[in-house]
Amino acid sequence: MKFKSLFSKIKESFFNLNWKCNICENENFNGQAFCDGCYKNLPFLKENYCAHCGRKTIKPQLACDSCIGKAENVKTIRSVFNYEEPIDKLIKEFKYNNKRYLGDIFAKELSKIYFLEFMAVDLITFVPMSLKRQEKRGYNQSEILAKKLSKIIGVKVENCVIKNVIYLLSLNNTIFSLFAKQKTFRLKL
């Protein structure tokens, strides 16, 4: 255990991911993953979103036109970002290019929304991946994100077999995701 802690400190000293902005790649001396300018311009989904599916909307809505009458057993889906530049590129880097450290950044942003809006999640789960795809990629980015978020918010991770996009599920049927894709998907709970 002590060796692991020592290794982590050495790694942080030599490979500090916050020395450059993860978007513009300029030197960054604020100790964060993004420079102040890039962070300010991230496509946060703050006010205008569908409370049911998490999509960006013109005004706040309980259910957008796409959600009316669908997945009534789900109370809320909450996303941190709208799926657009530069978040879409970072997600693809995390997912396909072995940039697992981005999971720390995404988990930190998810935790901010969690602590502001939820505080009642019973477990964290992740999107399952086929064995063939996981062997090819070498990891499941959703599982990495779930475990990193679990460490921050103190909620256990369970490997539930759930199809489609679900990250956190509470007893009151709240779903919490990293981003809002502009696609329709069906939830089977």
Side-chain angles (χ1 to χ4, degrees):
M1 189 71 168
K2 289 181 181 180
F3 178 74
K4 190 174 183 179
S5 177
L6 176 64
F7 179 73
S8 293
K9 289 183 184 203
I10 292 170
K11 183 177 152 188
E12 284 177 23
S13 298
F14 287 102
F15 302 103
N16 187 335
L17 300 173
N18 296 328
W19 286 349
K20 68 176 188 172
C21 175
N22 283 280
I23 295 173
C24 69
E25 298 187 356
N26 289 329
E27 287 184 329
N28 184 25
F29 300 105
N30 66 8
Q32 303 299 316
F34 307 108
C35 67
D36 294 336
C38 288
Y39 188 80
K40 186 174 70 174
N41 291 320
L42 288 175
F44 286 102
L45 202 52
K46 292 183 180 177
E47 298 168 355
N48 298 330
Y49 59 89
C50 171
H52 188 262
C53 73
R55 286 190 190 108
K56 186 176 182 178
T57 58
I58 296 171
K59 61 182 181 177
Q61 293 179 257
L62 292 176
C64 66
D65 293 340
S66 298
C67 291
I68 294 174
K70 293 182 182 175
E72 294 173 5
N73 56 341
V74 175
K75 182 179 173 188
T76 303
I77 298 173
R78 178 65 168 97
S79 300
V80 177
F81 302 106
N82 197 38
Y83 190 68
E84 62 188 43
E85 262 189 52
I87 291 300
D88 60 344
K89 290 180 180 179
L90 290 174
I91 289 170
K92 288 173 187 170
E93 289 291 312
F94 176 49
K95 188 173 179 178
Y96 300 113
N97 295 327
N98 203 23
K99 299 212 174 164
R100 299 178 197 198
Y101 69 88
L102 290 170
D104 292 313
I105 297 166
F106 294 145
K108 182 178 176 183
E109 294 303 324
L110 276 168
S111 71
K112 290 176 185 177
I113 297 296
Y114 172 79
F115 287 121
L116 283 172
E117 298 183 16
F118 290 98
M119 300 286 283
V121 174
D122 302 299
L123 67 94
I124 300 172
T125 190
F126 49 90
V127 179
M129 179 183 277
S130 71
L131 187 59
K132 182 179 178 182
R133 187 170 287 165
Q134 188 160 347
E135 284 176 357
K136 181 180 178 185
R137 195 175 295 165
Y139 63 98
N140 180 342
Q141 75 285 347
S142 296
E143 182 177 5
I144 289 171
L145 181 61
K147 288 178 177 178
K148 290 180 182 292
L149 181 61
S150 171
K151 286 181 182 176
I152 296 171
I153 66 174
V155 175
K156 68 181 177 178
V157 175
E158 294 287 336
N159 184 0
C160 301
V161 180
I162 299 175
K163 200 170 184 178
N164 289 325
V165 180
I166 299 177
Y167 286 102
L168 297 179
L169 178 62
S170 73
L171 288 177
N172 66 352
N173 293 329
T174 299
I175 296 172
F176 191 54
S177 69
L178 175 62
F179 59 89
K181 275 196 172 186
Q182 298 300 321
K183 293 182 180 178
T184 302
F185 53 87
R186 296 179 192 264
L187 301 172
K188 295 179 181 176
L189 302 175

